[in-house]
Amino acid sequence: MVTTWASLLWLGTIHVLLLRSNTEKAEKVEPNPNAVQHDWENWMKTGMGWLGKLKLKQICLPGANEAGMSAKTGGTAKQKNCNTLCQSKNILKQLKTGIRYLDLRPVVSGSDYKAGHYQQDPEGQWIGGDGQTFESIVKQINDFTKDHNELIIASLSKSHSVSSNKPFDQGEWDKLFDIVSKTTNLYEGPENTLLNVTLGDLTNKGNKSAVLYIVSAANITLGSYAGKGLFTNKSMHLYDNVINTDKMNFMFVDQALKMYKNAKDSFFVFSWIVTQQPRQVAECPKLRSIKSLAKKTNPHMKDIMHEVTSEIYPNVITANYVENSQVREIAMAINSHWLLDRNVPKKGNLTEKRKNKKGE
């Protein structure tokens, strides 16, 4: 059978209807965590009495996709704001709004290390732009942790060398490691026990901040930086797999199914992200921009809560253009209602529908 976009859209719509078929019960729990809603800059410290007991694997963090891409500082000829920028606030402002997981894609151009957003067009040509420098990212993290005793996790992945159009080699990674090692309050500890450390132990019960960089790169070693603020994605059992689609239905079903399959055994990132397709990249803003796609899909983010159970839940929710309280309040609702109360069904909507369909 030949699968077409039309049939995929129909299948995706049917799946989403199945996923949402039991929303009446789920929507009784609203993302309204009273304990910390008035102080998002310090939500971990404010909620330390109950959050501090949770292990890293048990916490859900609000995250920003491509967090360093709020302003352009360079790039290729075909890059534009509409196909390059993924956020409207810089790192410091994101942290002040409650974001605690920063997705960063490092690029190197000459001797400059920056966050970047690069992709290939249908002809194989690279299109992309540079965002904040890593020196400025480190400075803004340091500025924040100087007055806030919070946990911050920064993911370093999908590196790109502008000169070679290849991922970083060991030497380029080492230079980046040297830059981010200037971050203050780096958490030091053994890699093999990281997910079992509680938030209280990471932050000394809210009396200090803790910053972790998680590195995803093949055939790269951390060297002397290992366990000193820098950890491999394997030590975190990090699972972050984005589907390449501009259809919210496809994205939602894809991420929900991946969560059911992988969340128990991983630090799972639910990527609430729809991606530009080649024509949109070339013809935006006439066609959909990264920002307009995010504006269309982000209001539906609360649907994630319909698929969370007491055993299966995201550890991070990332999104583009995290301008308001949606991602942080949904993450906090999962923390407060799902993880602490444990008062939700053992199976999510999709799991139940599949079970009923099989007649089990």
Side-chain angles (χ1 to χ4, degrees):
M1 182 180 72
V2 177
T3 302
T4 65
W5 278 107
S7 63
L8 280 175
L9 179 57
W10 181 81
L11 289 171
T13 303
I14 294 299
H15 274 298
V16 171
L17 289 174
L18 293 177
L19 284 167
R20 296 179 180 175
S21 63
N22 193 31
T23 58
E24 182 178 355
K25 181 176 181 179
E27 287 183 347
K28 290 179 181 178
V29 181
E30 292 296 330
N32 183 29
N34 293 323
V36 296
Q37 65 175 336
H38 300 298
D39 188 7
W40 286 110
E41 288 192 28
N42 301 284
W43 66 264
M44 288 182 171
K45 182 177 181 179
T46 304
M48 189 58 60
W50 53 281
L51 286 171
K53 302 172 184 178
L54 297 179
K55 297 176 181 178
L56 190 54
K57 177 65 182 79
Q58 298 174 310
I59 296 175
C60 183
L61 302 176
N65 182 58
E66 302 203 46
M69 293 304 301
S70 60
K72 291 187 305 183
T73 59
T76 64
K78 295 182 180 180
Q79 57 81 27
K80 300 175 282 187
N81 284 354
C82 62
N83 63 19
T84 302
L85 298 184
C86 299
Q87 302 294 339
S88 60
K89 298 178 180 180
N90 64 25
I91 296 294
L92 180 59
K93 290 180 180 179
Q94 290 173 34
L95 293 172
K96 287 185 175 182
T97 59
I99 296 299
R100 294 296 177 265
Y101 183 92
L102 305 170
D103 171 57
L104 301 170
R105 316 285 176 88
V107 301
V108 58
S109 178
S111 59
D112 296 326
Y113 284 80
K114 303 177 181 180
H117 175 90
Y118 281 78
Q119 58 195 313
Q120 285 181 286
D121 66 17
E123 288 74 43
Q125 299 296 313
W126 284 92
I127 299 174
D130 309 334
Q132 286 188 246
T133 66
F134 268 89
E135 284 86 355
S136 72
I137 291 172
V138 168
K139 182 181 184 303
Q140 290 187 356
I141 291 175
N142 289 345
D143 288 345
F144 181 79
T145 58
K146 182 169 55 179
D147 301 314
H148 304 82
N149 297 329
E150 303 280 292
L151 168 68
I152 299 168
I153 298 179
S155 170
L156 305 175
S157 67
K158 299 179 177 66
S159 63
H160 180 76
S161 173
V162 174
S163 61
S164 66
N165 285 326
K166 294 180 179 180
F168 285 7
D169 58 28
Q170 183 69 58
E172 289 167 329
W173 274 112
D174 288 341
K175 290 178 181 177
L176 179 61
F177 295 159
D178 183 62
I179 294 172
V180 300
S181 70
K182 305 299 192 297
T183 307
T184 55
N185 297 297
L186 290 171
Y187 173 78
E188 297 188 14
E191 290 192 287
N192 58 353
T193 62
L194 193 56
L195 289 182
N196 291 321
V197 182
T198 66
L199 180 62
D201 289 338
L202 285 165
T203 62
N204 190 23
K205 298 181 180 179
N207 291 307
K208 68 174 184 179
S209 55
V211 183
L212 291 76
Y213 288 93
I214 309 302
V215 181
S216 299
N219 303 316
I220 297 296
T221 63
L222 302 183
S224 61
Y225 300 103
K228 298 179 180 178
L230 277 72
F231 301 86
T232 65
N233 61 330
K234 291 182 179 179
S235 68
M236 284 283 289
H237 301 282
L238 182 68
Y239 188 96
D240 184 1
N241 192 323
V242 180
I243 184 174
N244 181 19
T245 180
D246 63 343
K247 304 294 190 297
M248 185 182 72
N249 289 358
F250 296 167
M251 174 272 290
F252 181 38
V253 172
D254 172 79
Q255 292 294 296
L257 290 174
K258 287 173 179 173
M259 182 173 69
Y260 284 126
K261 183 177 179 180
N262 299 286
K264 279 188 178 181
D265 301 316
S266 69
F267 191 79
F268 185 83
V269 179
F270 197 116
S271 298
W272 190 264
I273 299 158
V274 289
T275 57
Q276 280 184 312
Q277 300 305 293
R279 241 189 105 193
Q280 294 168 327
V281 173
E283 298 184 31
C284 71
K286 180 180 178 181
L287 299 182
R288 290 259 181 208
S289 65
I290 296 174
K291 184 174 185 177
S292 66
L293 286 169
K295 293 287 189 181
K296 181 180 179 181
T297 57
N298 283 356
H300 302 279
M301 198 183 301
K302 67 179 182 179
D303 290 350
I304 295 173
M305 294 172 62
H306 304 159
E307 300 311 315
V308 168
T309 77
S310 59
E311 298 176 349
I312 299 174
Y313 48 86
N315 298 112
V316 179
I317 301 171
T318 59
N320 290 326
Y321 284 91
V322 288
E323 297 175 338
N324 54 34
S325 62
Q326 287 169 327
V327 65
R328 71 190 185 194
E329 290 191 357
I330 292 168
M332 188 54 59
I334 291 172
N335 286 331
S336 60
H337 294 294
W338 303 134
L339 301 187
L340 291 182
D341 296 340
R342 302 282 180 176
N343 60 355
V344 294
K346 292 295 183 182
K347 302 292 184 180
N349 294 334
L350 180 59
T351 304
E352 284 298 325
K353 284 295 179 181
R354 294 172 116 189
K355 180 177 178 180
N356 294 337
K357 187 175 181 180
K358 293 178 180 178
E360 297 176 358

